[in-house]
Structures are given as C-alpha cells and as structure tokens.
Amino acid sequence: MPRYHQLKEILRERIRSGEWKSGDLIPSERELSELYGISRMTARQAITDLVNEGVFYREQGKGTFVTSHKITQQLMRLTGFTEDISARGQRPSTKVLSAEMLPADELTAERLRIPVGQLVFCLQRLRLADDEPLAIERSQLNFKGCEKLLEEDLEQNSLYQLLESSYGIPLMEAEQELEAGLAGEEDSRLLKIALDSAVLYTRRTTFTDRNQPVEYARSVYCGNKYTFYTHLKREQLFAS
Ligand code: GLP
C-alpha cells in the first residue's frame, strides 16, 4: 500500500475513534511528516486527498480542519452509497423495500435508451448509516440478464460491487441532477423525518465502459445529513 494511503487510513481512524471531532484543527504537514517519518510531499498528498473527499477542509492561513459529521457524496468521482458511507468510517446497511421486474415508463425508457414497456429490474432500497436512515434509492436497471439480480442478496451486497465483480459490468461515468424538495408522506415515514422536511433529490444515470446506460436511479436524501462536495477550478481565461 502506498505510504500516503496508509497515512490516509491513520487519519481516518483518528476521526472514526472520536479522537478528532468536527471543527478540530489537524496537525500541519510538517508535524505529520515528523510524527510518521514520511516526507512532507506524502503528508500533503494524503491531506489533499482527504480534502477532496470532503473529510477535511482548508482555511487559508489557518490550517486544515475536520469537516462536520455529514455524509459527503463526491460529485467528481463516481462512487456508490456503500463507498461514501465507509469512507466516513460509518457502517452502511440496506433494507430492500422491493425488487421486481417491471415495464419501463417513458422517462426510464428514455434514460436507459430502451423501448417503453421493456422489463427492467426495479429496486427500492432504504439506505442507512450506523442504523440511521439516510436515503431512499429507487433504481431501475437494464442489461442482458438483469433479471438475475432478483436472486441476489441486495441487503448484504453493494449494487455497484455486484455489477462490477459478479456481472462484469464496469461502471465508468454518470450524469446526475440534484434538486431541493420537501419530504412527502412515504419518504418522511421511511426516513423517520417530519413531513415537509428538507430533502435532496438526485437522479443519476450510470453508464458502462461502452457508454451504455445501465442504471437510472432516483434517490431522496435527508437534507440535513448529506453534503455534496465538488471541487471547482477556474479556467485561466483572464491570465495575462
Ligand atoms: C448511489 C447512487 C445509486 C446507486 C448506489 C449504489 O448512492 N445514487 O444510483 O445505486 O449509489 O450503491 P451501493 O453500491 O452501495 O449499492
């Protein structure tokens, strides 16, 4: 394992164990490199990675701090729920609400580029972190043999992992929309939040390496427990 990976794990563990709390200032690159006998470059790389993952944030001239204990979903890298939650040191779990083959409606057919009415695998899951409900994910999947998913244990397995390792479907990229909203009756009951609480809706189409859409998923996240993180770079349009 590269050294900066090891350092990342050590730093994550300090959050997991509760030693570092949200808002705490973490040691500087120099202090970390002395403490663990590594180069400053390595320390910098580990910290930068964790900043990009939303675990830490930097404040100019002040240092690097631990982000509040929200779940961060990457908006640059394609990650699944299990990965997002594990990266925060929490335990992901799933309750399958339904799993069945159903005919695709118009929108789904358009997103999955299939004829309306074609049978697709429809999965509704309640997703939890440390036993706390965080999101409801309604996924529709289409690929040759997708009905085999009916036999999978989707409470114990990550969907992305199954697709990639058992079905040989490499997930390459996704398009995602985010929208604010208010929790309706069913969502508030499942997420254990008050009716009309703030929620975030996402709609994601995930593509394989052959640019084939494989999943169209509509999800609802508790608005106060999730952070969507993206790293923006300004194009150097005005550089002299
Ligand atoms: C997300 C996406 C879903 C996807 C899920 C996979 O959060 N919004 O579209 O189905 O990740 O997660 P997992 O691999 O944990 O099943």
Side-chain angles (χ1 to χ4, degrees), residues 5-72:
H5 261 302
Q6 289 177 14
L7 180 60
K8 276 174 72 179
E9 273 319 301
I10 291 170
L11 299 179
R12 277 209 182 100
E13 185 50 37
R14 294 178 86 164
I15 299 176
R16 236 174 260 151
S17 66
E19 187 188 337
W20 288 350
K21 306 218 164 32
S22 57
D24 280 0
L25 175 70
I26 68 153
S28 66
E29 282 165 17
R30 188 177 47 77
E31 286 165 330
L32 287 174
S33 64
E34 280 166 13
L35 194 60
Y36 296 108
I38 49 172
S39 72
R40 280 184 70 162
M41 272 277 287
T42 305
R44 183 173 315 146
Q45 193 176 359
I47 294 173
T48 303
D49 264 26
L50 291 170
V51 168
N52 288 339
E53 287 172 27
V55 177
F56 297 149
Y57 63 93
R58 287 197 173 104
E59 271 196 32
Q60 194 110 50
K62 290 191 183 157
T64 304
F65 300 84
V66 179
T67 313
S68 74
H69 204 68
K70 282 190 172 182
I71 311 303
T72 304

Side-chain angles (χ1 to χ4, degrees), residues 68-233:
S68 74
H69 204 68
K70 282 190 172 182
I71 311 303
T72 304
Q73 182 179 119
Q74 288 292 320
L75 290 181
M76 297 118 64
R77 273 207 304 260
L78 176 56
T79 52
F81 184 86
T82 305
E83 288 166 273
D84 290 337
I85 304 305
S86 309
R88 294 295 303 183
Q90 291 192 280
R91 195 177 57 81
S93 58
T94 305
K95 188 166 180 273
V96 173
L97 304 171
S98 65
E100 54 199 324
M101 295 299 290
L102 287 175
D105 62 20
E106 223 166 286
L107 176 65
T108 307
E110 188 195 314
R111 296 293 159 107
L112 293 178
R113 300 188 200 140
I114 54 171
V116 177
Q118 184 178 317
L119 289 183
V120 289
F121 178 72
C122 298
L123 175 66
Q124 293 203 56
R125 294 179 293 174
L126 178 68
R127 314 299 310 258
L128 308 95
D130 287 345
D131 299 322
E132 215 186 302
L134 269 193
I136 305 162
E137 298 193 314
R138 300 184 169 100
S139 301
Q140 320 215 44
L141 291 110
N142 176 58
F143 58 89
K144 202 161 180 279
C146 61
E147 64 281 353
K148 286 200 210 93
L149 285 170
L150 288 170
E151 285 144 42
E152 299 288 354
D153 182 348
L154 291 159
E155 302 229 325
Q156 299 303 327
N157 290 303
S158 139
L159 179 63
Y160 277 5
Q161 224 169 344
L162 267 181
L163 291 177
E164 296 193 305
S165 45
S166 309
Y167 290 78
I169 301 177
L171 305 171
M172 289 304 279
E173 45 194 306
E175 282 170 4
Q176 183 165 288
E177 301 166 347
L178 305 179
E179 198 174 296
L182 301 176
E185 244 166 66
E186 191 192 0
D187 292 346
S188 58
R189 181 173 45 81
L190 290 167
L191 293 170
K192 298 207 171 89
I193 53 178
L195 190 68
D196 286 341
S197 311
V199 289
L200 268 166
Y201 292 107
T202 69
R203 293 181 287 274
R204 181 188 289 187
T205 313
T206 307
F207 298 85
T208 67
D209 57 340
R210 292 171 174 192
N211 205 25
Q212 275 297 315
V214 66
E215 183 198 30
Y216 175 55
R218 284 167 301 152
S219 309
V220 194
Y221 294 87
C222 295
N224 59 346
K225 293 183 192 144
Y226 236 87
T227 300
F228 290 86
Y229 175 87
T230 185
H231 181 91
L232 306 175
K233 266 200 185 143

